[in-house]
Amino acid sequence: MDKKGKERLMWEIEKFVITRLRSFHLLPYRHNKDYLYVRDYYRNCYRDYYYSYKLSAEERLKLMDKWWNKYNDGYRKSRGELVEFSQLTNHEICHEMFWNAFRDHSKMYIQIKNLNFDEETFSRRSDEMEVITLQCSLLTLQMLDYDIMMFRAMSDEEDEEYREEAKKFYRPYLFSYVAEINRDQYERLGELQRKTERNFPVEEDGPSPHLWLACTFNTDIEVPSIGLEGYVVQSASSINKIRANLYIIENDKVPIATIKSILDEYELSNHCLKDDNSFTDAIKKKLGNDRLSTIDVYKVGNGNCVYAQGVDSNVGFFYDIGFNYRHRPQKIAPGVNYSYSNTMKKVYTKKPSFFILSHWDMDHIAGSAAARKDFFEKDWFAPDCYDACIDAQRLAKYLDMKQHLYLAKRPPRKGKCPGRLIGQIDIKSSTIPSTILATYRLYMGKKVPCDRSYPNCEGIVIEYTDQINEKVVLMMGDVNYASFNEARLSNGDKEFADTKIDYLIAPHHGSEHTDYIKIAGINGNTKEDIMAIICCTNEENENRPNKGHRDELEKRFGKNVITTEEALLNYNSIRICLYP
């Protein structure tokens, strides 16, 4: 190819748009092994159903190139120069891919957590039906091939301008589905997963945490399927929630080639996985000699978004950047905004020096999908995300490509590595180096029975101590108290109940799955610390926060246990002031 740099990138995007994104607008090519697209007479449109979904990523790309080379000249002569593609943005491509999924123009798969791996706890709705709420990632073949094309462009070693233009053009996006599942649907999905699990590559570390199934939004489907009622969460700029029924196809196995394409293309490089010393040293360089002035805990529903601001205005970081990702589907109505947009507008005005993620669940990272592009020019620190959903892995892959991702190692599921202190960072005075102004201690929890989720238990906890004011702030993400205790005990530290904590950002949105009896401990610690903040919607009837959890917090913090939803009118956060 004689094209270079930006011209080469636009050529590749044009090829993708014509052969993959808008292929159903072309002439009606017949069923032929040379063509990627064939006519589906029942739907009267063009789809990549028959052949491409059976092929590996390499085979699909070769067919795409073959078709493009064969028909490019004729198409150009009929259309003239395709000047519109020079203005096509990542945002527009994403939205076309989303709507193609709704129109059934591209083969689609749903990534559901392995329901046979851990038993879920059902909750009772107001209509007495027992349900669980599942958040699942959606992926079409168009999306997979778009990501493959862009990730490969970002890793091109011979054309630096091409590589950098691809990084500028692309940005991570979300395409998820949230549904309430009753017991009958849960059992049917579990059985379907058991039947199809043999298609998935066996992992050395135990069962796969997620499984892929074929699905569609096509309401005219005439094959056995499991129908779900829920909503789509999609992004490319703003984040939208759209009510839609989805059907999981029971007799349509996901090909090994497709699974391998997904696993291969979203796999991270080895250089982003750091040992504990390298991980904490990199954060230390970002913090410099600055102690914290304020910590804002944002009102984002059942999600975590915390911003810590240094006394020096040039230093600040996010601890998670999420929002309320999983509304109950029956509460979603047309024309209503469910993304805490006023709060997120405030969030996006911040100028972070870096990011720390407690873990990779969507309610802790989803705000990144609509963030300013310069957020992705900063370094991100997080636990390993090998078992994260594909929406999270897309973000991680992009950050990895930009060399802005640092991952702390997590113990294997079958391993014996305990929770631990990842490292300690002392912030020293720039004028009197022997004086320690503040101390950060980063812990990683250990998996314990009270929480089924490994990512929750093995998240990162930040303990910040202002040594001058003698104030301690504990930010726990979704790490339960028992998991945190395991990490502390492995380092010879006191347990939670016996630890000084002035300000607590409580774990897991006030959930019951936190072993909250550890808050006061067997000695019944009832001293009143300053404040406990719960990141949740403050709907006790929906267990956010759990009453027992809140009651235990009140033994330590008295009446100063508040939810982010209780932030004062016209305020978007609850602020912790540490200085002056």
PDB file of all heavy atoms in Angstrom, residues 92 124 127 138 170 190 207 218 225 246 321 327 346 423 425-426 457 470 483 486 490 503 530 559:
ATOM      1  N   GLU A  92     -19.879   8.655  14.920  1.00  0.00           N
ATOM      2  CA  GLU A  92     -20.871   8.288  13.900  1.00  0.00           C
ATOM      3  C   GLU A  92     -20.787   6.808  13.555  1.00  0.00           C
ATOM      4  O   GLU A  92     -21.815   6.145  13.357  1.00  0.00           O
ATOM      5  CB  GLU A  92     -20.662   9.141  12.651  1.00  0.00           C
ATOM      6  CG  GLU A  92     -21.002  10.609  12.874  1.00  0.00           C
ATOM      7  CD  GLU A  92     -20.510  11.513  11.751  1.00  0.00           C
ATOM      8  OE1 GLU A  92     -19.384  11.293  11.252  1.00  0.00           O
ATOM      9  OE2 GLU A  92     -21.264  12.420  11.371  1.00  0.00           O
ATOM     10  N   ARG A 124     -36.876  -9.592  45.840  1.00  0.00           N
ATOM     11  CA  ARG A 124     -38.310  -9.599  45.590  1.00  0.00           C
ATOM     12  C   ARG A 124     -38.765  -8.206  45.165  1.00  0.00           C
ATOM     13  O   ARG A 124     -38.505  -7.222  45.852  1.00  0.00           O
ATOM     14  CB  ARG A 124     -39.067 -10.049  46.843  1.00  0.00           C
ATOM     15  CG  ARG A 124     -40.531 -10.384  46.591  1.00  0.00           C
ATOM     16  CD  ARG A 124     -41.172 -10.927  47.866  1.00  0.00           C
ATOM     17  NE  ARG A 124     -40.543 -12.154  48.292  1.00  0.00           N
ATOM     18  CZ  ARG A 124     -40.864 -13.368  47.828  1.00  0.00           C
ATOM     19  NH1 ARG A 124     -41.811 -13.481  46.911  1.00  0.00           N
ATOM     20  NH2 ARG A 124     -40.259 -14.436  48.282  1.00  0.00           N
ATOM     21  N   ASP A 127     -44.079  -6.431  42.989  1.00  0.00           N
ATOM     22  CA  ASP A 127     -45.151  -7.321  42.549  1.00  0.00           C
ATOM     23  C   ASP A 127     -44.936  -8.749  43.039  1.00  0.00           C
ATOM     24  O   ASP A 127     -45.576  -9.684  42.551  1.00  0.00           O
ATOM     25  CB  ASP A 127     -45.281  -7.303  41.026  1.00  0.00           C
ATOM     26  CG  ASP A 127     -43.998  -7.752  40.323  1.00  0.00           C
ATOM     27  OD1 ASP A 127     -43.043  -8.150  41.025  1.00  0.00           O
ATOM     28  OD2 ASP A 127     -43.957  -7.707  39.086  1.00  0.00           O
ATOM     29  N   LEU A 138     -22.879  -6.563  24.948  1.00  0.00           N
ATOM     30  CA  LEU A 138     -23.276  -6.981  23.608  1.00  0.00           C
ATOM     31  C   LEU A 138     -22.134  -6.700  22.643  1.00  0.00           C
ATOM     32  O   LEU A 138     -21.401  -5.721  22.792  1.00  0.00           O
ATOM     33  CB  LEU A 138     -24.525  -6.212  23.154  1.00  0.00           C
ATOM     34  CG  LEU A 138     -25.785  -6.403  23.992  1.00  0.00           C
ATOM     35  CD1 LEU A 138     -26.884  -5.460  23.503  1.00  0.00           C
ATOM     36  CD2 LEU A 138     -26.266  -7.844  23.946  1.00  0.00           C
ATOM     37  N   TYR A 170      -9.984   6.945  17.417  1.00  0.00           N
ATOM     38  CA  TYR A 170     -10.776   5.964  18.152  1.00  0.00           C
ATOM     39  C   TYR A 170     -11.020   6.421  19.588  1.00  0.00           C
ATOM     40  O   TYR A 170     -10.242   7.159  20.161  1.00  0.00           O
ATOM     41  CB  TYR A 170     -10.022   4.633  18.171  1.00  0.00           C
ATOM     42  CG  TYR A 170     -10.762   3.478  18.819  1.00  0.00           C
ATOM     43  CD1 TYR A 170     -11.665   2.724  18.092  1.00  0.00           C
ATOM     44  CD2 TYR A 170     -10.532   3.140  20.154  1.00  0.00           C
ATOM     45  CE1 TYR A 170     -12.322   1.643  18.665  1.00  0.00           C
ATOM     46  CE2 TYR A 170     -11.187   2.073  20.745  1.00  0.00           C
ATOM     47  CZ  TYR A 170     -12.085   1.327  19.997  1.00  0.00           C
ATOM     48  OH  TYR A 170     -12.734   0.264  20.584  1.00  0.00           O
ATOM     49  N   GLY A 190     -28.962 -20.875  32.536  1.00  0.00           N
ATOM     50  CA  GLY A 190     -27.930 -21.712  33.119  1.00  0.00           C
ATOM     51  C   GLY A 190     -27.784 -23.025  32.366  1.00  0.00           C
ATOM     52  O   GLY A 190     -26.664 -23.492  32.117  1.00  0.00           O
ATOM     53  N   PRO A 207     -13.260 -22.213  35.723  1.00  0.00           N
ATOM     54  CA  PRO A 207     -14.310 -21.933  34.740  1.00  0.00           C
ATOM     55  C   PRO A 207     -14.249 -20.496  34.232  1.00  0.00           C
ATOM     56  O   PRO A 207     -13.842 -19.586  34.957  1.00  0.00           O
ATOM     57  CB  PRO A 207     -15.596 -22.173  35.543  1.00  0.00           C
ATOM     58  CG  PRO A 207     -15.190 -22.989  36.717  1.00  0.00           C
ATOM     59  CD  PRO A 207     -13.786 -22.600  37.029  1.00  0.00           C
ATOM     60  N   ASN A 218     -34.472  -8.901  16.931  1.00  0.00           N
ATOM     61  CA  ASN A 218     -35.501  -9.170  15.930  1.00  0.00           C
ATOM     62  C   ASN A 218     -36.721  -9.812  16.584  1.00  0.00           C
ATOM     63  O   ASN A 218     -36.690 -10.965  17.008  1.00  0.00           O
ATOM     64  CB  ASN A 218     -34.919 -10.091  14.853  1.00  0.00           C
ATOM     65  CG  ASN A 218     -35.936 -10.466  13.793  1.00  0.00           C
ATOM     66  OD1 ASN A 218     -37.034  -9.925  13.748  1.00  0.00           O
ATOM     67  ND2 ASN A 218     -35.565 -11.410  12.939  1.00  0.00           N
ATOM     68  N   SER A 225     -36.032 -19.508  21.546  1.00  0.00           N
ATOM     69  CA  SER A 225     -35.249 -18.418  22.137  1.00  0.00           C
ATOM     70  C   SER A 225     -35.748 -18.126  23.539  1.00  0.00           C
ATOM     71  O   SER A 225     -36.860 -18.489  23.918  1.00  0.00           O
ATOM     72  CB  SER A 225     -35.344 -17.149  21.276  1.00  0.00           C
ATOM     73  OG  SER A 225     -36.686 -16.705  21.207  1.00  0.00           O
ATOM     74  N   LEU A 246     -34.873  -8.396  24.036  1.00  0.00           N
ATOM     75  CA  LEU A 246     -33.759  -9.117  23.424  1.00  0.00           C
ATOM     76  C   LEU A 246     -34.042 -10.611  23.508  1.00  0.00           C
ATOM     77  O   LEU A 246     -34.636 -11.087  24.487  1.00  0.00           O
ATOM     78  CB  LEU A 246     -32.461  -8.770  24.138  1.00  0.00           C
ATOM     79  CG  LEU A 246     -31.182  -9.398  23.593  1.00  0.00           C
ATOM     80  CD1 LEU A 246     -30.052  -8.376  23.560  1.00  0.00           C
ATOM     81  CD2 LEU A 246     -30.759 -10.597  24.447  1.00  0.00           C
ATOM     82  N   ILE A 321     -14.711   6.186  38.214  1.00  0.00           N
ATOM     83  CA  ILE A 321     -15.452   7.188  37.447  1.00  0.00           C
ATOM     84  C   ILE A 321     -16.679   6.490  36.852  1.00  0.00           C
ATOM     85  O   ILE A 321     -16.765   6.226  35.664  1.00  0.00           O
ATOM     86  CB  ILE A 321     -14.563   7.858  36.372  1.00  0.00           C
ATOM     87  CG1 ILE A 321     -15.348   8.913  35.603  1.00  0.00           C
ATOM     88  CG2 ILE A 321     -13.873   6.843  35.486  1.00  0.00           C
ATOM     89  CD1 ILE A 321     -14.497   9.824  34.745  1.00  0.00           C
ATOM     90  N   HIS A 327     -30.315   0.385  36.473  1.00  0.00           N
ATOM     91  CA  HIS A 327     -31.657   0.630  36.960  1.00  0.00           C
ATOM     92  C   HIS A 327     -32.481  -0.641  36.775  1.00  0.00           C
ATOM     93  O   HIS A 327     -32.202  -1.440  35.890  1.00  0.00           O
ATOM     94  CB  HIS A 327     -32.344   1.745  36.152  1.00  0.00           C
ATOM     95  CG  HIS A 327     -31.866   3.112  36.469  1.00  0.00           C
ATOM     96  ND1 HIS A 327     -30.790   3.681  35.843  1.00  0.00           N
ATOM     97  CD2 HIS A 327     -32.323   4.035  37.345  1.00  0.00           C
ATOM     98  CE1 HIS A 327     -30.607   4.906  36.305  1.00  0.00           C
ATOM     99  NE2 HIS A 327     -31.521   5.141  37.220  1.00  0.00           N
ATOM    100  N   LYS A 346     -20.322  18.012  35.926  1.00  0.00           N
ATOM    101  CA  LYS A 346     -19.350  18.511  36.902  1.00  0.00           C
ATOM    102  C   LYS A 346     -18.094  17.650  36.894  1.00  0.00           C
ATOM    103  O   LYS A 346     -16.965  18.151  36.971  1.00  0.00           O
ATOM    104  CB  LYS A 346     -19.975  18.506  38.297  1.00  0.00           C
ATOM    105  CG  LYS A 346     -21.110  19.499  38.492  1.00  0.00           C
ATOM    106  CD  LYS A 346     -20.588  20.918  38.596  1.00  0.00           C
ATOM    107  CE  LYS A 346     -21.727  21.877  38.955  1.00  0.00           C
ATOM    108  NZ  LYS A 346     -21.241  23.285  39.011  1.00  0.00           N
ATOM    109  N   GLY A 423       1.318  -1.422  48.584  1.00  0.00           N
ATOM    110  CA  GLY A 423       2.443  -0.533  48.845  1.00  0.00           C
ATOM    111  C   GLY A 423       2.032   0.686  49.649  1.00  0.00           C
ATOM    112  O   GLY A 423       0.843   0.986  49.795  1.00  0.00           O
ATOM    113  N   ILE A 425       2.903   4.905  50.240  1.00  0.00           N
ATOM    114  CA  ILE A 425       3.497   6.094  49.635  1.00  0.00           C
ATOM    115  C   ILE A 425       3.492   7.209  50.677  1.00  0.00           C
ATOM    116  O   ILE A 425       2.420   7.632  51.129  1.00  0.00           O
ATOM    117  CB  ILE A 425       2.732   6.542  48.380  1.00  0.00           C
ATOM    118  CG1 ILE A 425       2.711   5.418  47.338  1.00  0.00           C
ATOM    119  CG2 ILE A 425       3.349   7.808  47.793  1.00  0.00           C
ATOM    120  CD1 ILE A 425       1.772   5.691  46.171  1.00  0.00           C
ATOM    121  N   ASP A 426       4.646   7.673  51.060  1.00  0.00           N
ATOM    122  CA  ASP A 426       4.761   8.800  51.980  1.00  0.00           C
ATOM    123  C   ASP A 426       4.948  10.083  51.186  1.00  0.00           C
ATOM    124  O   ASP A 426       5.822  10.169  50.318  1.00  0.00           O
ATOM    125  CB  ASP A 426       5.943   8.608  52.926  1.00  0.00           C
ATOM    126  CG  ASP A 426       5.718   7.486  53.924  1.00  0.00           C
ATOM    127  OD1 ASP A 426       4.556   7.292  54.341  1.00  0.00           O
ATOM    128  OD2 ASP A 426       6.694   6.796  54.277  1.00  0.00           O
ATOM    129  N   CYS A 457     -13.973  -8.500  45.636  1.00  0.00           N
ATOM    130  CA  CYS A 457     -13.113  -8.821  46.777  1.00  0.00           C
ATOM    131  C   CYS A 457     -11.670  -8.399  46.543  1.00  0.00           C
ATOM    132  O   CYS A 457     -10.981  -7.973  47.475  1.00  0.00           O
ATOM    133  CB  CYS A 457     -13.160 -10.317  47.072  1.00  0.00           C
ATOM    134  SG  CYS A 457     -14.773 -10.938  47.610  1.00  0.00           S
ATOM    135  N   GLU A 470      -3.923  14.622  61.347  1.00  0.00           N
ATOM    136  CA  GLU A 470      -4.221  13.322  61.946  1.00  0.00           C
ATOM    137  C   GLU A 470      -5.628  12.852  61.591  1.00  0.00           C
ATOM    138  O   GLU A 470      -6.407  12.404  62.441  1.00  0.00           O
ATOM    139  CB  GLU A 470      -4.044  13.368  63.467  1.00  0.00           C
ATOM    140  CG  GLU A 470      -2.616  13.678  63.887  1.00  0.00           C
ATOM    141  CD  GLU A 470      -2.441  13.642  65.398  1.00  0.00           C
ATOM    142  OE1 GLU A 470      -3.450  13.811  66.119  1.00  0.00           O
ATOM    143  OE2 GLU A 470      -1.304  13.465  65.859  1.00  0.00           O
ATOM    144  N   SER A 483     -12.750  -9.062  53.403  1.00  0.00           N
ATOM    145  CA  SER A 483     -11.647  -9.097  52.437  1.00  0.00           C
ATOM    146  C   SER A 483     -10.577  -8.081  52.814  1.00  0.00           C
ATOM    147  O   SER A 483      -9.377  -8.347  52.693  1.00  0.00           O
ATOM    148  CB  SER A 483     -12.173  -8.801  51.026  1.00  0.00           C
ATOM    149  OG  SER A 483     -12.946  -9.858  50.536  1.00  0.00           O
ATOM    150  N   GLU A 486      -8.517  -9.339  55.703  1.00  0.00           N
ATOM    151  CA  GLU A 486      -7.517 -10.321  55.274  1.00  0.00           C
ATOM    152  C   GLU A 486      -6.265  -9.609  54.756  1.00  0.00           C
ATOM    153  O   GLU A 486      -5.137 -10.035  55.011  1.00  0.00           O
ATOM    154  CB  GLU A 486      -8.092 -11.227  54.181  1.00  0.00           C
ATOM    155  CG  GLU A 486      -9.168 -12.178  54.654  1.00  0.00           C
ATOM    156  CD  GLU A 486      -8.615 -13.319  55.489  1.00  0.00           C
ATOM    157  OE1 GLU A 486      -7.386 -13.535  55.482  1.00  0.00           O
ATOM    158  OE2 GLU A 486      -9.410 -14.008  56.156  1.00  0.00           O
ATOM    159  N   SER A 490      -2.579  -9.730  56.742  1.00  0.00           N
ATOM    160  CA  SER A 490      -1.408 -10.275  56.059  1.00  0.00           C
ATOM    161  C   SER A 490      -0.207  -9.350  56.185  1.00  0.00           C
ATOM    162  O   SER A 490       0.942  -9.783  56.035  1.00  0.00           O
ATOM    163  CB  SER A 490      -1.720 -10.512  54.572  1.00  0.00           C
ATOM    164  OG  SER A 490      -1.830  -9.286  53.873  1.00  0.00           O
ATOM    165  N   TYR A 503     -13.086   9.315  58.085  1.00  0.00           N
ATOM    166  CA  TYR A 503     -14.032   9.383  56.973  1.00  0.00           C
ATOM    167  C   TYR A 503     -13.994   8.057  56.216  1.00  0.00           C
ATOM    168  O   TYR A 503     -12.918   7.599  55.800  1.00  0.00           O
ATOM    169  CB  TYR A 503     -13.669  10.511  56.012  1.00  0.00           C
ATOM    170  CG  TYR A 503     -13.707  11.893  56.624  1.00  0.00           C
ATOM    171  CD1 TYR A 503     -12.549  12.473  57.127  1.00  0.00           C
ATOM    172  CD2 TYR A 503     -14.904  12.604  56.694  1.00  0.00           C
ATOM    173  CE1 TYR A 503     -12.575  13.745  57.690  1.00  0.00           C
ATOM    174  CE2 TYR A 503     -14.931  13.879  57.251  1.00  0.00           C
ATOM    175  CZ  TYR A 503     -13.770  14.437  57.744  1.00  0.00           C
ATOM    176  OH  TYR A 503     -13.795  15.696  58.296  1.00  0.00           O
ATOM    177  N   ILE A 530     -16.034  10.516  62.299  1.00  0.00           N
ATOM    178  CA  ILE A 530     -16.637  11.738  61.765  1.00  0.00           C
ATOM    179  C   ILE A 530     -17.781  11.476  60.790  1.00  0.00           C
ATOM    180  O   ILE A 530     -18.883  11.978  60.955  1.00  0.00           O
ATOM    181  CB  ILE A 530     -15.557  12.618  61.103  1.00  0.00           C
ATOM    182  CG1 ILE A 530     -14.535  13.059  62.157  1.00  0.00           C
ATOM    183  CG2 ILE A 530     -16.187  13.849  60.441  1.00  0.00           C
ATOM    184  CD1 ILE A 530     -13.381  13.851  61.596  1.00  0.00           C
ATOM    185  N   LYS A 559     -25.043   9.533  63.801  1.00  0.00           N
ATOM    186  CA  LYS A 559     -25.986  10.025  62.806  1.00  0.00           C
ATOM    187  C   LYS A 559     -25.292  10.524  61.540  1.00  0.00           C
ATOM    188  O   LYS A 559     -25.959  10.943  60.588  1.00  0.00           O
ATOM    189  CB  LYS A 559     -26.838  11.145  63.400  1.00  0.00           C
ATOM    190  CG  LYS A 559     -27.747  10.684  64.533  1.00  0.00           C
ATOM    191  CD  LYS A 559     -28.598  11.825  65.059  1.00  0.00           C
ATOM    192  CE  LYS A 559     -29.514  11.341  66.178  1.00  0.00           C
ATOM    193  NZ  LYS A 559     -30.363  12.452  66.718  1.00  0.00           N
TER     194      LYS A 559
END
